[in-house]
């Protein structure tokens, strides 16, 4: 197995909170899957921090795929999943999964951190 590509992103938590306040449910539904929303909403005191972390992951994964927001990529086609006690993982759907296959990416490893009002994500695309 070898690294195919890497991506990183940093998101200001207050900026994401402003977007949620301005655009509300429409924004959340456009960006996050029902599973991601349920995970973040269960963390009521730090829900925006968790949303910002997942937003940063999505941006980092778009860089791994080499697509940015283009080529048919949709926000909800990149899903951050976290089982209790486990590290976060990424599940790709739709065009994102197609782009990953085309680049020979079999798995994407992610890491998320939050500090000083920022959420940072790092993603590594690995082949088989």
């Amino acid at each position: 197995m070898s690294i195919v590509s890497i991506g990183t992103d940093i998101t200001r938590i207050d900026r994401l909170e402003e977007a949620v306040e301005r655009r509300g449910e429409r924004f959340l539904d456009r960006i996050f899957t029902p599973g991601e929303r349920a995970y973040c909403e269960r963390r009521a005191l730090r829900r925006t921090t968790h949303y910002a972390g997942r937003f940063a992951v999505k941006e980092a994964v778009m860089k791994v795929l080499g697509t940015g927001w283009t080529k048919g990529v949709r926000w909800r086609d990149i899903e951050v999943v976290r089982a209790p006690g486990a590290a976060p993982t990424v599940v790709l759907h739709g065009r994102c999964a197609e782009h990953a296959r085309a680049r020979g990416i079999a798995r994407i490893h992610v890491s998320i951190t939050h500090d000083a009002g920022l959420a940072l994500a790092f993603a590594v695309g690995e082949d088989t």
Side-chain angles (χ1 to χ4, degrees):
M1 292 187 225
S2 62
I3 294 172
V4 175
S5 60
I6 61 172
T8 190
D9 189 71
I10 191 165
T11 300
R12 284 186 19 222
I13 296 167
D14 65 341
R15 185 170 173 237
L16 188 86
E17 186 169 33
E18 289 169 11
V20 171
E21 287 173 5
R22 254 190 342 268
R23 298 184 188 121
E25 292 296 313
R26 253 181 79 211
F27 174 77
L28 292 172
D29 284 340
R30 192 176 121 246
I31 305 296
F32 302 102
T33 67
E36 290 169 324
R37 294 207 50 201
Y39 177 88
C40 295
E41 293 297 328
R42 282 193 304 271
R43 283 135 188 89
L45 295 177
R46 296 186 48 178
R47 77 192 256 292
T48 306
T49 299
H50 291 281
Y51 277 126
R54 276 143 186 76
F55 186 87
V57 166
K58 291 169 186 277
E59 292 265 359
V61 168
M62 288 177 191
K63 293 170 184 168
V64 166
L65 297 175
T67 60
W69 297 330
T70 64
K71 301 181 183 175
V73 168
R74 295 179 324 143
W75 292 101
R76 289 172 41 141
D77 285 346
I78 303 165
E79 182 173 18
V80 181
V81 177
R82 185 171 177 265
T89 60
V90 171
V91 177
L92 300 178
H93 307 282
R95 294 297 305 261
C96 287
E98 292 172 19
H99 288 298
R101 279 191 296 276
R103 292 199 72 187
I105 297 170
R107 182 172 178 201
I108 298 177
H109 303 270
V110 295
S111 180
I112 308 169
T113 190
H114 319 93
D115 191 28
L118 300 169
L120 175 99
F122 190 77
V124 176
E126 179 183 60
D127 66 9
T128 53

